[in-house]
Amino acid sequence: MSTLQGDTVDLICLRYFNFTGGVTEQVMSLNPHLVDYGLIFPTGIDIQLPDAPERTQKQVIQLWT
């Protein structure tokens, strides 16, 4: 995929996976060249995305009933 003007890694993750936890790090690992562009990307940078990761549910601990 290619970036849109103003994209950030977390916005790309939200757009394609609907969450950022854990997947943002995977995108950065697959695309070490992104650090050359700073935090906000211009149009047209090619980015490799990981396969859609499974979203894990965190355990909720109820303190009061």
Side-chain angles (χ1 to χ4, degrees):
M1 66 121 333
S2 291
T3 59
L4 302 173
Q5 182 68 36
D7 268 347
T8 60
V9 174
D10 58 335
L11 286 176
I12 292 168
C13 293
L14 280 174
R15 186 181 314 132
Y16 287 93
F17 302 113
N18 291 319
F19 63 98
T20 60
V23 73
T24 305
E25 294 84 356
Q26 291 179 34
V27 171
M28 290 305 295
S29 289
L30 288 170
N31 302 281
H33 64 282
L34 294 180
V35 297
D36 297 337
Y37 297 97
L39 296 175
I40 301 173
F41 308 132
T43 302
I45 299 171
D46 289 328
I47 293 182
Q48 193 176 20
L49 295 176
D51 293 334
E54 284 191 32
R55 190 172 185 182
T56 57
Q57 188 72 18
K58 291 186 178 182
Q59 181 181 5
V60 176
I61 300 172
Q62 186 173 356
L63 299 176
W64 296 277
T65 57

